[in-house]
Amino acid sequence: MPHPLTLDFPRDWEERILEQICLVKQIKFPHWPCPENICTQNPSPLCEEVGKDSFGSDYIENLKQNAISTEFMYQTKDASTGAASIIVNNEGQNIIVIVAGANLLLNSDDLRKAADIISRARVIICQLEISPATSLEALTMARKSGVKTLFNPAPATADLDAQFYTVSDIFCCNETEAEILTELTISNPAAAGKAGSMLIERGCKIVIITLGAEGCVFVSAEEPGPKHIPTQKVLKPVDTTGAGDSFVGALAFYLAYYPNLPMEEMIKRANFVASVSVQSSGTQTSFPYKKDLPLNLF
């Protein structure tokens, strides 16, 4: 069923009848539907807690069908499966309300069960749709084992633990998240560069701020000045939901399998994958498979 669901977003207190609604199995459940795996069909494991309900069971089955390891997926009766309510307008832009549910039950004991696989990983992705303490512990475990750490502070919180900046090899956020973290207004790539530089000062090695149709800004502690990396223009985006996940997943793939590529080239390729994802409806449903992407990306 196609998106858009509404012509534009409602104003405060406005009641709105939507044009249509779409329920998909591949709804944007945290902690990441591993877009890098859906893109490449590599069986990297996903560590997550879901409810013992139809959403959770369907989600696990969907991951299996996409060749993603569910060895460290746990189902609980203590909470419902985390879910997101997403509204998309006819410009392809979205607003999202997350109900974390079982995501917040993922804990240290679960991480210890996955400690061996974490220590042998090439890259680990963490974000904030699970408990921040659990994400921080996972990043710290990975860093101690020499694993590349990629952190996406979503949904962002102004009082983010300062340790996140120092344990993240790559700190990747969108412009809204960067505004929350830095209290700067980001209306263009130059402003994003200032925000990125501020995050570098907090201990980050590499900061990437995604800017939607404007591509992203890349700042490194080892290189002078921010770099704006544009993306290909999409004339009529269908649904931008999950574009950031698609970008981060693709970036993780290049970090793991093409580690000798310059970071700027990895970002360009991840930008391209994200631009493909906004041309289809849904989140996981919009993530392209490797066979659907140009050969020059690999």
Side-chain angles (χ1 to χ4, degrees), residues 106-126:
L106 192 72
N107 57 34
S108 295
D109 290 339
D110 299 321
L111 292 181
R112 279 192 284 272
K113 294 174 187 175
D116 181 61
I117 198 71
I118 290 174
S119 69
R120 292 187 288 110
R122 299 179 188 180
V123 179
I124 186 172
I125 308 173
C126 291

Side-chain angles (χ1 to χ4, degrees), residues 126-128 135 139 149-153 160 164 168 170-172:
C126 291
Q127 36 75 288
L128 297 176
S135 273
L139 290 167
T149 54
L150 173 53
F151 179 57
N152 174 228
L160 183 68
F164 276 109
S168 304
I170 299 173
F171 191 97
C172 182

